[in-house]
Amino acid sequence: MKFQKHLLLFVMILVISCKDHSLLKNKIISINEGIEAHFAPDKRVNIYDINFNLKNEKVTIKGETNSTLAHQTLLDSLNNLGLDLIDQTRILPDSKVGDKKYAIANNSVINIRSKPKHSAELGTQALLGTPLKILDKQGDFYRIQTPDGYISWVDKGGIYPMRKELLDVWSNSKKIIYTNTAGFVYEHKHLDQNIISDITLGGVLKYLSEDQKTYKVEYPDQRKGYIKKSEAVLLKDWLNNNIATQESIEKTAKSMLGFPYLWGGTSSKGMDCSGFTKMTYLLNGFVIPRDASQQINAGTIVDYDLNFKNLQKGDLLFFGTRAAANKKQKVVHVGIWLGNDKMEFIHASGNVHISSMDKQNPLYDEFNKNRYLGSRRYLGVKDKNIIELKKRMKL
């Protein structure tokens, strides 16, 4: 009988202990999820991948984040619970990267993938001369962050890693921007032999000198070459003369008619729907968010009634699945309104082409009209997600 009483007491203590442990674990999960939701709501532009192990009121934290504030908030919150902490979190970038925490895109177009392997999905691209942040390294791949905040992986052949002081030298140097659809950089000024590489619309190189027909240029890795003067312009002049208007947006967008569709593409070699809108605005002096589901959160809302009456040339149109009681709105496509009496818009789907919302127009796009979600205006709108290159770049 005495043994049974002791056994019952032990079981009760065990149940209470397990209950307390379960409550504590749930509390930690709730804290961790709350910090993740606040500091990293969009995994495309933030890293917060932290987990924990709770044993005997001692918590081991493992994972990685690029937010020192998120990490410190987690530590403070757990310390307030009176827990012993073993912190094994990686704050990116760390020693794995070393002191070269920056890079410049060193190929005409670099392919940035969802995982550190060549077979991974193409997430986005960056053009020659684009400044990048390096956050991590795995094998021959670097995890980088582009000027629009997008985080993913690129192979080592596409970039030139450097220290902050060298990035500053690059940023402060005189540069040219390539304005032709595509072309080449040559080893000699005669432009008739020994191609160094190709170059595409929007590519940037350091200016060294010029003559009547050529610019002498330098790559981030110090290779030197020549390009046709008729195919490029000084970046400073280009930016100063680049005044974004409804007409310039239309002209730029139409200059890409027929460009091929490429999932993840943001260059003249191929572009997806949001890559097209992004490229159009880039060539008018703005860096905008990468994906359609991000672009819909920038600018100001127009066309609340979804009848196209309040739209202006240059507005972005978004398409997808409307919100319902049991599901959120899903944005999957974007185009640019052309602001004419034909109700036309231009978008990348199969290739870059013009469609219409008017049933009487031969270019009528019933499919996209039926999944129209609304529009956003970028021109003339101040928004932290719409970055004006004139203010960002050092000329």
Side-chain angles (χ1 to χ4, degrees):
M1 189 73 177
K2 196 171 183 180
F3 171 76
Q4 289 176 331
K5 287 183 179 179
H6 282 300
L7 180 60
L8 180 60
L9 180 61
F10 173 76
V11 170
M12 289 175 65
I13 292 172
L14 183 63
V15 168
I16 293 172
S17 177
C18 288
K19 185 177 180 181
D20 288 345
H21 183 276
S22 178
L23 288 173
L24 182 59
K25 185 176 181 179
N26 288 336
K27 180 67 174 176
I28 296 172
I29 290 174
S30 178
I31 290 171
N32 196 40
E33 290 179 346
I35 292 171
E36 180 178 6
H38 179 74
F39 288 98
D42 187 342
K43 297 300 183 294
R44 291 166 293 187
V45 295
N46 299 105
I47 300 171
Y48 187 90
D49 184 13
I50 295 178
N51 51 64
F52 65 91
N53 180 49
L54 175 62
K55 187 175 182 180
N56 299 326
E57 294 191 359
K58 182 172 289 186
V59 179
T60 301
I61 309 168
K62 294 183 178 181
E64 57 192 22
T65 180
N66 66 328
S67 172
T68 55
L69 184 55
H71 176 248
Q72 190 59 51
T73 302
L74 176 63
L75 295 184
D76 292 343
S77 299
L78 296 181
N79 279 322
N80 288 337
L81 295 178
L83 298 169
D84 290 332
L85 301 180
I86 300 174
D87 184 16
Q88 299 177 354
T89 309
R90 294 181 62 206
I91 310 300
L92 305 177
D94 59 8
S95 58
K96 204 168 186 179
V97 170
D99 58 354
K100 294 183 178 179
K101 298 178 181 179
Y102 301 90
I104 304 290
N106 202 42
N107 289 339
S108 61
V109 178
I110 62 171
N111 296 318
I112 304 171
R113 302 188 179 278
S114 59
K115 295 179 181 180
K117 55 183 181 179
H118 290 288
S119 59
E121 178 184 66
L122 183 65
T124 190
Q125 295 177 319
L127 301 174
L128 177 64
T130 301
L132 310 160
K133 294 179 181 178
I134 296 178
L135 300 177
D136 200 2
K137 188 176 187 296
Q138 186 172 321
D140 288 339
F141 281 79
Y142 288 87
R143 185 187 282 186
I144 60 170
Q145 187 169 34
T146 55
D148 56 23
Y150 207 91
I151 298 172
S152 211
W153 297 86
V154 65
D155 70 279
K156 66 178 183 180
I159 64 173
Y160 187 71
M162 58 183 61
R163 298 180 182 88
K164 179 64 165 59
E165 54 267 30
L166 286 181
L167 177 71
D168 290 341
V169 170
W170 172 270
S171 298
N172 289 315
S173 67
K174 192 174 181 179
K175 292 181 281 290
I176 62 91
I177 182 169
Y178 193 74
T179 54
N180 218 34
T181 301
F184 299 99
V185 181
Y186 297 86
E187 185 175 338
H188 302 291
K189 66 191 312 181
H190 302 297
L191 309 178
D192 58 358
Q193 57 181 328
N194 295 355
I195 293 171
I196 294 178
S197 81
D198 68 324
I199 186 169
T200 62
L201 181 64
V204 171
L205 286 169
K206 185 187 292 187
Y207 168 96
L208 294 179
S209 63
E210 64 183 287
D211 59 24
Q212 190 173 358
K213 293 184 178 181
T214 66
Y215 285 117
K216 186 178 182 181
V217 294
E218 183 177 282
Y219 285 77
D221 63 0
Q222 287 84 56
R223 286 176 295 164
K224 296 175 177 59
Y226 298 84
I227 59 173
K228 294 178 181 178
K229 207 169 186 180
S230 60
E231 297 179 354
V233 65
L234 292 175
L235 180 60
K236 181 178 181 179
D237 293 343
W238 180 81
L239 280 172
N240 287 335
N241 295 326
N242 196 340
I243 301 174
T245 64
Q246 294 179 3
E247 287 68 31
S248 68
I249 293 293
E250 178 181 24
K251 182 179 179 180
T252 302
K254 286 184 174 179
S255 73
M256 291 184 273
L257 280 168
F259 280 21
Y261 182 92
L262 174 66
W263 177 271
T266 61
S267 71
S268 59
K269 291 188 174 185
M271 52 186 62
D272 57 23
C273 62
S274 55
F276 166 65
T277 54
K278 179 176 176 60
M279 188 71 171
T280 298
Y281 271 84
L282 177 65
L283 294 173
N284 280 273
F286 294 94
V287 174
I288 68 173
R290 169 62 183 95
D291 293 337
S293 58
Q294 296 169 315
Q295 291 175 4
I296 198 172
N297 295 317
T300 187
I301 299 174
V302 290
D303 199 19
Y304 283 96
D305 297 327
L306 305 182
N307 58 15
F308 310 105
K309 289 183 179 179
N310 294 320
L311 296 185
Q312 295 179 9
K313 187 181 298 184
D315 291 344
L316 299 189
L317 286 73
F318 296 93
F319 308 88
T321 305
R322 295 184 179 92
N326 60 344
K327 62 181 180 180
K328 295 181 179 179
Q329 174 178 275
K330 186 176 182 181
V331 181
V332 298
H333 191 58
V334 61
I336 300 174
W337 189 248
L338 292 179
N340 55 40
D341 57 6
K342 301 176 183 178
M343 297 182 70
E344 292 177 336
F345 66 101
I346 184 169
H347 57 139
S349 178
N351 59 14
V352 177
H353 64 275
I354 295 173
S355 298
S356 174
M357 292 301 181
D358 183 359
K359 289 183 179 181
Q360 308 304 317
N361 192 313
L363 301 177
Y364 178 55
D365 189 340
E366 182 179 14
F367 173 69
N368 277 313
K369 187 171 185 179
N370 289 336
R371 61 175 189 163
Y372 175 57
L373 299 174
S375 297
R376 291 270 180 160
R377 182 162 300 149
Y378 280 20
L379 287 178
V381 175
K382 291 185 178 181
D383 188 306
K384 66 179 182 179
N385 296 311
I386 303 173
I387 302 167
E388 190 174 359
L389 283 173
K390 285 181 183 179
K391 297 177 179 179
R392 169 67 67 89
M393 297 184 72
K394 298 175 182 179
L395 304 178

